[in-house]
């Protein structure tokens, strides 16, 4: 691409705001579709308080919906929360043109399927963020740690569009790596999310330090991870059981960390129960793999989510 | 027995106070060993506020420990909370004479083993209470519902001493039934306790009505019950899988009920994690039965208990 890449960002929560700002800093023209924070972002943009230095992000244009957007875009970034009640396809539809690559920057597993079904001719890029970042108010983001991205063409490969996007991210100052098998990368991230996110909530509000401080609880985390590895193998994107130990060890070296699900729960926001646990269970059902721990966590968390939102 | 049965009660919590008072009302001479509530009980006895009519219980004697007790007793009632840190054998030891029957009125499974090992010559009576009762203050008990007892000689049979005790309970006004296989009766009660008690806490503070209001959560309760049934079969005291449906249905007809474990958790008191879940897991280990749900609940609840008592 000789010209500035033209990008439309959906979702100015913590993750969307952070990476949108990085893309702008990396040289792209980034506009944003906002909902609850439209007024703030339109007026003052987004303030990023970052361990790597604070900076400000002013989107090129701020829209209330995709209907106002000025097509075509090279990339659409889907950084909406991954919840069943959010109909991503309808939300992005009018901004998707022939050559638009749709970048899915969300948690969970099998989050690409409905997008692929709705836009079979468009390139889908699946992206994973490894970052500790929180939105502390409309238009104000607190970036506490990490920031690496892993991304690839869905379902496999690293297309020129992915490479171009990686370059923009790198120009903007984050580590971004292309992955040939992005589905395996999603399973790997799920191996972390599936135990730590739900158990931080179910255990009564635990950070990673407390969880890994207990050998008995760590054994549970390990057992949940084993179920995820079994699913990844059945799905043809096998993780190695050995990475369980490495993941536990790496996490125990991190600063004690409150998961995003726990923050959602504490703030009475919907938790991403379905994309993290529900979709894993669907995968287990498809392949005939029994995952009793994932199912137990799902059944408990589903109830907690419902009660919490009452 | 021609004379008044002489009974020493250990533990004047909700269950001990209620059934101690029933035994006194039924014609026995009931003394009590108290700890934290010694002063109150010594001074004013125990007030029972009951759906069946309020009444007052004045123990014959109130002691600070078994060392003060006036042996021999026909029965010792162990109504202490079943916690690993409570050394029941030491607590009751000096009150156990040759002909003393030791009545274990506690929750859980395999709660008789340590008592049997310490007092191999004494008759052990295992008793189960089906009751909704709470201690609302020292010396004040709130009996909200039910009250039936099931009891038998441990490990099996209905001895004359059991029959005599049943008669006193009945004279005192409660339904008491002898059971030939009290271990099976314990498994049956555990089938209720193992899902409802832990999940009421783990789910974030749920009563039985909320739990059974969700089909997904009820499915989890059912799965936990199936694991308990499998253990009872391996243990040679088989429950029938069909009673699961009946138990769910009976419970859903009850007034929504806060479990004792949830009350303990909310009041930052230790929960009976070991006798309800820990001992079930030990049983599973002994017989090579995999119970992933019981184990998951145990691992979570153990952590919650520790954090709650900090």
């Amino acid at each position: 691409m000789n010209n500035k890449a033209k990008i439309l960002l959906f979702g100015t929560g913590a993750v969307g705001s952070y990476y949108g700002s990085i893309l702008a800093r990396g040289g792209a023209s980034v506009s944003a579709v906002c909902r609850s924070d439209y007024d703030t972002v339109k007026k003052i943009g987004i303030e990023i308080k970052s361990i790597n230095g604070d900076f400000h992000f002013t989107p090129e244009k701020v829209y209330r919906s995709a209907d106002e957007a000025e097509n075509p875009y090279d990339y659409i970034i889907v950084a909406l929360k991954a919840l069943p009640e959010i109909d991503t396809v309808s939300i992005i539809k009018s901004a998707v043109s022939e050559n638009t690559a749709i970048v899915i920057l969300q948690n969970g597993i099998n989050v690409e399927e409905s997008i692929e079904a709705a836009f079979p001719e468009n390139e889908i890029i699946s992206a994973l963020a490894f970052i500790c970042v929180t939105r502390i108010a409309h238009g104000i983001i607190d970036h506490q740690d990490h920031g690496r991205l892993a991304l690839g063409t869905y379902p496999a490969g690293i297309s020129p569009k992915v490479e171009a996007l990686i370059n923009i991210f790198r120009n903007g100052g984050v580590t971004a790596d292309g992955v040939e098998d992005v589905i395996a990368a999603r399973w790997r991230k799920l191996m972390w999310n599936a135990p730590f996110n739900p158990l931080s909530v179910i255990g009564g509000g635990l950070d990673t330090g407390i969880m890994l401080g207990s050998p008995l609880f760590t054994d549970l985390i390990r057992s949940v991870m084993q179920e995820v590895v079994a699913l990844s193998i059945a799905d043809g994107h096998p993780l190695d059981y050995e990475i369980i130990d490495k993941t536990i060890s790496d996490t125990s070296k991190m600063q004690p960390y409150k998961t995003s699900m726990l923050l959602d729960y504490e703030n009475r926001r919907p938790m991403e129960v379905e994309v993290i646990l529900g979709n894993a269970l669907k995968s287990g059902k498809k392949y005939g793999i029994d995952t009793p721990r994932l199912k137990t966590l799902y059944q408990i968390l589903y109830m907690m989510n419902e009660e919490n939102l009452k």
Side-chain angles (χ1 to χ4, degrees), chain A:
Chain A
M1 266 167 275
N2 297 319
N3 301 327
K4 262 191 170 189
K6 206 177 147 200
I7 297 178
L8 184 62
L9 169 67
F10 285 85
T12 42
V15 168
S17 292
Y18 181 74
Y19 289 105
S21 74
I22 293 291
L23 288 167
R25 207 163 67 167
S29 158
V30 182
S31 296
V33 175
C34 302
R35 292 203 307 174
S36 62
D37 52 358
Y38 173 85
D39 290 334
T40 310
V41 176
K42 176 90 182 172
K43 206 164 159 186
I44 60 165
I46 294 169
E47 188 63 34
I48 314 280
K49 300 184 178 300
S50 171
I51 42 154
N52 304 327
D54 300 352
F55 63 103
H56 196 84
F57 165 43
T58 309
E60 199 74 25
K61 295 278 176 67
V62 181
Y63 305 117
R64 283 190 189 275
S65 87
D67 297 338
E68 303 170 3
E70 292 154 29
N71 297 353
Y73 293 94
D74 299 307
Y75 300 95
I76 275 180
I77 313 279
V78 178
L80 302 163
K81 217 164 157 191
L83 298 172
E85 60 267 33
I86 296 180
D87 181 356
T88 303
V89 169
S90 307
I91 292 171
I92 66 173
K93 197 162 190 162
S94 26
V96 178
S97 310
E98 200 183 337
N99 292 312
T100 308
I102 304 168
V103 183
I104 302 177
L105 182 59
Q106 292 180 309
N107 261 327
I109 196 83
N110 293 338
V111 290
E112 305 89 350
E113 287 178 358
S114 60
I115 308 293
E116 190 188 34
F119 309 105
E121 305 300 325
N122 288 80
E123 177 174 348
I124 307 224
I125 298 173
S126 191
L128 296 160
F130 300 87
I131 188 166
C132 302
V133 66
T134 319
R135 180 166 69 177
I136 49 184
H138 283 170
I140 306 177
I141 306 300
D142 181 22
H143 170 223
Q144 298 133 293
D145 211 353
H146 304 285
R148 187 174 72 85
L149 281 173
L151 60 165
T153 306
Y154 178 83
I158 301 172
S159 70
K161 276 225 158 184
V162 170
E163 283 177 349
L165 191 63
I166 285 174
N167 282 332
I168 306 171
F169 278 123
R170 287 180 180 165
N171 282 341
V174 304
T175 306
D177 299 315
V179 285
E180 287 288 345
D181 182 353
V182 76
I183 298 177
R186 284 211 169 259
W187 280 117
R188 170 132 199 196
K189 191 172 184 203
L190 194 79
M191 203 191 73
W192 196 96
N193 279 331
F196 283 107
N197 270 291
L199 286 170
S200 67
V201 176
I202 293 171
L206 309 173
D207 66 31
T208 52
I210 295 171
M211 288 190 264
L212 295 177
S214 155
L216 197 70
F217 206 80
T218 303
D219 181 54
L220 171 57
I221 288 168
R222 211 178 285 273
S223 301
V224 174
M225 288 180 169
Q226 281 164 355
E227 292 187 353
V228 175
V229 172
L231 290 176
S232 76
I233 293 169
D235 193 40
H237 301 274
L239 302 180
D240 194 319
Y241 281 103
E242 282 176 16
I243 62 167
I244 291 177
D245 281 343
K246 184 175 156 38
T247 306
I248 300 269
S249 153
D250 288 351
T251 306
S252 67
K253 282 177 210 139
M254 279 168 48
Q255 281 293 315
Y257 172 61
K258 262 194 180 188
T259 68
S260 60
M261 216 178 236
L262 179 54
L263 292 173
D264 283 341
Y265 184 74
E266 288 178 345
N267 291 291
R268 302 185 78 106
R269 295 187 299 247
M271 297 184 283
E272 295 182 324
V273 182
E274 291 304 327
V275 284
I276 289 180
L277 292 173
N279 286 0
L281 288 176
K282 278 182 198 154
S283 197
K285 201 166 180 185
K286 180 173 160 193
Y287 299 119
I289 306 279
D290 191 28
T291 54
R293 289 169 187 82
L294 287 169
K295 189 163 182 188
T296 300
L297 300 189
Y298 175 71
Q299 290 165 313
I300 296 170
L301 203 61
Y302 186 94
M303 169 67 97
M304 294 183 83
N305 199 35
E306 287 215 318
E307 289 296 306
N308 197 39
L309 299 176
K310 264 182 188 169

